Amino acid sequence: MTVSAFRDLHHGRTPGEPLVLPGPWDAASARVFADAGFPALATPSAGIAASLGYKDGATPAAEMFAAVARIARAVPVPVSADIEAGYGLPPKELVERLLDAGAVGCNLEDAADGALLDPQQQADRLAEVRAVAGDRLFINARVDTYVCSAPTGTDPETETIARARLYVAAGADCVYPIAAPPDAIPRLAAAVPAPLNVLAAPDGPAPRRLGELGATRVTFGPGLQRQAMAGVGEIADRLYAG
């Protein structure tokens, strides 16, 4: 599937039928999801970090891109890569490394070291990535206003919408207000002129319900990897108990 076809998956969707993109953390999990019939996958940086023995946010760039490449090679469906805030790489190198890894898209978040980045500077960076990538990458702009403190006196939802609009104007294909509460999704979807990526939490609404609320695309962060490891833990406990 081409980048254009991947982009098309985000448009013309029926409410209640969002694009559900499981998050593989290695080649084996990617094959399981692809074999199940999902049309595309979206890697979680935290899930890959855990599989490589790193804390979230501590994976060296070279290891992250290598992991994405192994996943992309393992499956016949397109793979979008979570590359955190871009590892400080200049746009040209960032785009080249994504394309070399076989990714059709990427997440780029607007926070670093637990603090929100300046929105205009982030928009400028997104515009530079878009200019270099052209139509070769699907850019999912993550907005971290619900996981980092918004500016003093600013409502997180208001700040989210302002940032999202700025990023779309800069060339983002999709906006990802990670950890946005379910009751905010309809207002965000109505206010943002682009597809909305929503995180499915283990104790939150199911993907279909998130779609009914306004999500175009549903991803899971490291949730699926953590569920899988919980299963491994249960197996280990049974083996140890004999």
Side-chain angles (χ1 to χ4, degrees):
M1 182 185 290
T2 64
V3 178
S4 176
F6 179 70
R7 187 173 284 112
D8 288 345
L9 288 174
H10 294 75
H11 296 279
R13 305 201 68 87
T14 302
E17 295 185 4
L19 175 62
V20 177
L21 299 180
W25 53 94
D26 60 14
S29 59
R31 289 193 187 104
V32 170
F33 293 134
D35 289 346
F38 289 97
L41 306 174
T43 68
S45 62
I48 288 178
S51 75
L52 296 175
Y54 293 103
K55 292 182 179 180
D56 184 20
T59 309
E63 292 198 44
M64 183 62 73
F65 285 111
V68 170
R70 287 191 294 272
I71 289 169
R73 285 198 305 267
V75 294
V77 299
V79 173
S80 182
D82 181 351
I83 52 169
E84 302 175 353
Y87 308 108
L89 298 172
K92 186 175 187 299
E93 182 178 355
L94 185 67
V95 170
E96 288 175 350
R97 294 182 77 166
L98 281 164
L99 295 175
D100 287 345
V104 300
C106 66
N107 288 2
L108 278 172
E109 56 198 60
D110 66 350
D113 300 322
L116 289 168
L117 301 173
D118 177 82
Q120 186 58 60
Q121 289 181 357
Q122 178 69 358
D124 291 345
R125 178 164 168 76
L126 290 169
E128 291 177 9
V129 172
R130 170 55 69 210
V132 173
D135 62 0
R136 296 178 295 169
L137 284 176
F138 183 96
I139 300 174
N140 189 29
R142 198 176 102 171
V143 184
D144 280 27
T145 42
Y146 289 103
V147 293
C148 298
S149 297
T152 303
T154 302
D155 171 68
E157 187 174 309
T158 301
E159 181 70 12
T160 298
I161 291 170
R163 285 172 177 259
R165 288 174 171 169
L166 198 59
Y167 301 161
V168 173
D173 295 284
C174 186
V175 174
Y176 180 18
I178 188 170
D183 63 358
I185 295 172
R187 295 187 295 274
L188 295 175
V192 177
L196 193 71
N197 186 161
V198 173
L199 176 70
D203 57 350
R208 179 175 293 277
R209 177 57 183 155
L210 293 174
E212 291 171 348
L213 291 171
T216 304
R217 159 173 161 168
V218 175
T219 53
F220 302 85
L224 302 180
Q225 185 267 343
R226 290 171 181 170
Q227 289 181 49
M229 293 312 298
V232 172
E234 293 175 1
I235 294 171
D237 290 342
R238 290 198 301 271
L239 291 173
Y240 187 76

